């Protein structure tokens, strides 16, 4: 474990220290304004317009301040349906916010390289990535930037330059979550190897400090890139992201080398500022000058939320929106509202993901069924080895997204804005040959997200928070049984960690038993086929590539008048005298009919604004 370079054995200099303040956002996903375009209402808990205002206030209180973004800024729900992906408004707003540098994230590539090229050309700040390269070996983007500020030492003295090197890195593990793997013109090299090639040159060019913008997060069992870069001794500070988590955070103290109290990873100051501009990350470095330049002698790391919760269901911003960001995003906001208001169909009953994690979700089954229909249209019956089964996940289902991060579509018109939550990603549908055993293995991967329940005990939670909702694939017309008293077979990255009987049994396709040997066709996304989420899918070429996204499939299903399926996806085997707590969203009260057959008691609201329930497994169906 290495200590930060600022704590090295160079001679100490006397005099007061200079405060260098590094501020950061990450995973904005086009959340430029304090507005929820899926729900079509203001949302004072998010948005660059709030984060930029807060960052300006924080920066004004330091001797020298820099503002960074750590990637996944370009694509999200607000601009999903726009012909130009809204890049002009997004980049204009980021320019207005005053970013000094940004890194590429995996989702920057979602709309293709051409769109990203145009976006990068609009930036007034460097956009960095050291390890995405073209076929000839040249870098796709600039690997680094050297930012120079002239500062006067506190207490007097002649002004002198302060040089901060910045390097961007996109870990290979993040690539499966976006469109980069589909772009054969580019490849991703090892992040640590790329940084090791770049940083010595920055030091030689006079960098006093070097900061990594690493689009990877801190999670138990997650991608190790952030820890590896911290331990390399190359960097003085790290900005992390991709996982939508936060750091410093007490729950991450179990990870080797991670110290939430000091805000360090392997001794290096690090910050991970959540998602959607809900936080501004701050790393304060106290610097002193000597003959060799500036060096860090101490640090402080913190997260600053852009809002605070006043009471259950009500939040207020910590600072007013930044006027420059609002002006720059005026056209983007107008176009996003217009695009979201377009009707794409009608449904007879509400679609909600509030109770997906306990097996009751008509919305998830609806999307899975739409995928099945799309594959059946693309693949002639004679070419199918068996019936088609669609798989879908409730991507918007709480978790780190918060108590408003749910699908909640009322009966009646379905708007384009609704589809942005129901089908948030542009991945294409493919069909692969499989068996009942393959489907069961995929379902074991999904329900590993459920905590093991012990007879006679009350668990603090039903869902393991390390498992994101987007990796909870469920079938459309298949219903099955889950035994939560059995141990999970997979970890949050999809690695098999246990040989055992598993939890999944009694698979029934349209009510008839589905045997282990039965041939089927799985309708999945190319993201899953590329390994996204670590699902144990069978290998081999797809039977057909539809060219359609899940959104396209849902629009077609709505046009055909497809009836929403029943909400029950799986049933839970009883565990004697076992109970557990689970969270649902702010709007869950409108959908209690979905869990009428379960033994569920509403307890109230938690400190984050989630509705909290107590569920008994004693008489689970």
């Amino acid at each position: 474990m290495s200590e930060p370079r600022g704590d090295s054995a160079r001679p100490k200099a006397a005099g007061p220290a200079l405060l260098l303040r590094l501020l950061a956002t990450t995973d904005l996903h086009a959340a430029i304004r304090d507005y929820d375009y899926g729900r079509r209402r203001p949302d004072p808990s998010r948005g660059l317009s709030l984060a930029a205002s807060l960052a300006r206030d924080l920066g004004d209180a330091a001797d020298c301040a820099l503002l960074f973004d750590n990637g996944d800024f370009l694509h999200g729900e607000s601009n999903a349906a726009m012909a130009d992906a809204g890049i002009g408004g997004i980049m204009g707003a980021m320019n207005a916010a005053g970013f000094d540098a940004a890194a590429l994230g995996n989702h920057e590539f979602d709309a293709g390289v051409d769109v990203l090229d145009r976006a990068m050309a609009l930036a007034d700040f460097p956009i960095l990535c050291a390890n995405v390269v073209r076929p000839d070996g040249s870098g796709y983007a600039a690997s680094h930037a050297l930012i120079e500020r002239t500062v006067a030492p506190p207490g007097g003295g002649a002004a002198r330059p302060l040089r901060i090197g910045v390097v961007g890195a996109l870990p290979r593990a993040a690539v499966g979550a976006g469109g980069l793997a589909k772009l054969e013109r580019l490849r991703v090299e090892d992040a640590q190897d790329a940084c090791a090639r770049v940083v010595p040159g920055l030091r030689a060019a006079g960098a006093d400090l070097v900061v990594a913008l690493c689009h990877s997060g801190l999670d138990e069992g997650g991608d190790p890139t952030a820890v590896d870069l911290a331990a390399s001794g190359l960097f003085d500070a790290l900005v992390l992201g991709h996982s939508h988590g936060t750091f410093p955070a007490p729950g991450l103290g179990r990870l080797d080398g991670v110290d939430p109290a000091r805000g360090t990873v392997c001794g290096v100051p690090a910050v991970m500022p959540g998602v959607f501009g809900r936080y501004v990350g701050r790393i304060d470095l106290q610097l002193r000058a000597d003959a060799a330049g500036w060096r860090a002698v101490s640090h402080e790391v913190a997260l600053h939320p852009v809002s605070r919760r006043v009471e259950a269901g009500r939040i207020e911003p910590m600072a007013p929106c930044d006027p420059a960001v609002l002006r720059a995003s005026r056209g983007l906001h107008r176009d996003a509202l217009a695009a979201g208001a377009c009707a794409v169909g009608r449904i007879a009953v509400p679609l909600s993901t509030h109770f997906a994690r306990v097996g009751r979700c008509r919305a998830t089954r609806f999307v899975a069924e739409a995928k099945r229909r799309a594959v059946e249209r693309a693949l002639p019956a004679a070419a199918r080895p068996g019936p088609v089964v669609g798989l879908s996940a409730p991507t918007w289902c709480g978790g780190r997204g918060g108590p408003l991060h749910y699908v909640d579509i009322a009966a009646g018109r379905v708007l384009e804005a609704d589809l942005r939550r129901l089908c948030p990603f542009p991945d294409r549908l493919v069909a692969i040959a499989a068996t009942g055993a393959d489907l069961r293995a995929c379902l074991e991967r999904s329900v590993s997200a459920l905590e093991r329940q012990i007879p006679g005990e009350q668990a603090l939670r039903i869902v393991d928070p390390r498992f994101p909702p987007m990796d909870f694939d469920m079938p459309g017309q298949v219903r099955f049984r889950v035994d939560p008293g059995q141990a999970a077979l997979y970890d949050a990255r999809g690695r098999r960690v246990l040989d055992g009987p598993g939890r999944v049994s009694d698979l029934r396709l349209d009510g008839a038993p589905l045997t282990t040997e039965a041939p089927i066709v799985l309708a999945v996304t190319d993201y899953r086929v590329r390994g996204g989420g670590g699902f144990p899918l069978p290998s081999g070429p797809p039977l057909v590539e539809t060219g359609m996204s899940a959104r396209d499939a849902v629009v077609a299903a709505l046009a055909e008048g497809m009836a929403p399926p029943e909400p029950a996806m799986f049933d839970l085997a009883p565990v004697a005298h076992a109970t557990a707590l689970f969270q649902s969203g702010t709007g869950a009260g409108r959908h209690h009919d979905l869990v009428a057959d379960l033994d569920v008691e509403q307890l109230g609201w938690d400190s984050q604004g989630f509705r909290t329930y107590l569920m008994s497994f004693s008489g689970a169906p």
Side-chain angles (χ1 to χ4, degrees), residues 39 101 207 290 321 330 350 358 379 400 435 488 509 552 560 613:
R39 298 168 67 236
D290 57 26
C321 286
R330 189 175 295 137
V358 292
L379 186 65
R400 288 172 174 167
T435 65
L509 174 61
D552 298 330
E560 295 168 355
Y613 295 82

Side-chain angles (χ1 to χ4, degrees), residues 29-32 73-92 94 107-120 122 331-333 335-336 339 420 426:
H29 288 289
I32 299 302
F73 53 82
L74 196 56
H75 297 291
E77 66 174 56
S78 64
N79 60 328
M82 296 184 191
D84 69 343
I87 59 175
I90 293 168
M91 300 315 298
M94 293 185 73
H107 284 295
E108 262 65 76
F109 296 88
D110 278 359
V113 168
D114 292 341
V115 171
L116 179 53
D117 285 344
R118 295 200 301 273
M120 292 172 66
L122 296 173
L332 175 70
H333 182 61
D335 294 346
R420 295 171 185 169

Side-chain angles (χ1 to χ4, degrees), residues 290-557:
D290 57 26
W294 296 93
R295 62 185 180 83
V297 294
S298 66
H299 75 268
E300 181 179 276
V301 182
L303 290 170
H304 295 268
V306 301
S307 64
R308 63 175 179 172
R309 189 166 301 280
V310 180
E311 57 189 31
R314 180 169 167 258
I315 53 181
E316 63 180 24
M318 301 295 289
C321 286
D322 184 270
V325 173
L326 292 180
R327 285 194 299 271
S329 62
R330 189 175 295 137
L332 175 70
H333 182 61
R334 180 195 62 232
D335 294 346
L337 289 175
C342 295
V344 296
R346 298 185 67 85
I347 53 170
V349 294
L351 298 180
S352 159
T353 58
H354 286 88
F355 297 102
R357 297 293 206 131
V358 292
R360 301 295 182 266
C361 186
R362 189 177 276 116
T364 299
R365 296 193 81 202
F366 186 86
V367 176
E369 278 290 273
K371 290 180 178 180
R372 175 184 66 83
R373 289 194 176 200
V375 163
E376 287 179 343
R377 286 191 297 269
L379 186 65
R384 303 174 204 154
V388 180
V389 176
L391 289 175
S392 185
T395 301
W396 283 72
C397 188
R400 288 172 174 167
L404 301 177
H405 195 78
Y406 290 83
V407 171
D408 196 352
I409 306 173
R413 288 197 311 160
V414 179
L415 303 180
E416 180 65 44
D418 298 320
L419 291 189
R420 295 171 185 169
R421 293 196 164 193
L422 197 60
C423 307
F425 299 120
D427 307 296
R428 302 297 172 177
L429 301 180
V430 299
I432 58 175
T435 65
D438 294 321
L439 175 59
R440 178 181 173 182
C442 288
L443 298 178
E444 288 283 2
R445 161 71 178 101
S446 293
V447 301
S448 291
L450 304 180
E451 294 277 14
R452 187 177 189 178
Q453 303 301 316
I454 307 300
E457 294 188 7
Q458 178 175 310
L460 293 177
R461 60 197 184 192
I462 286 180
V463 179
D464 185 336
R466 294 173 297 181
F467 289 73
M470 66 178 292
D471 291 336
F472 199 67
D473 272 5
M474 290 287 124
Q477 72 275 42
V478 173
R479 188 164 173 173
F480 58 101
R481 189 173 178 85
V482 176
D483 185 352
Q486 297 291 334
L489 299 186
Y490 293 86
D491 69 10
R493 294 182 65 189
R495 297 176 299 192
R496 181 102 182 206
V497 294
L498 186 69
D499 291 324
R503 296 173 160 181
V504 174
S505 64
D506 194 24
L507 275 70
R508 293 183 175 270
L509 174 61
D510 293 325
L514 181 64
T515 65
T516 299
E517 301 80 14
I520 59 173
V521 176
L522 289 178
V524 295
T525 63
D526 55 358
Y527 164 63
R528 287 284 186 250
V529 172
R530 295 194 310 267
F535 277 72
L537 292 171
S539 59
L543 296 173
V544 69
E545 298 181 14
T546 68
M548 298 177 66
S549 66
R551 177 200 174 279
D552 298 330
V554 168
V555 170

Side-chain angles (χ1 to χ4, degrees), residues 238-255:
L238 298 164
V239 179
L240 307 177
H242 178 62
S243 67
H244 295 190
T246 55
F247 182 78
L252 296 174
R254 297 184 296 268
L255 297 174

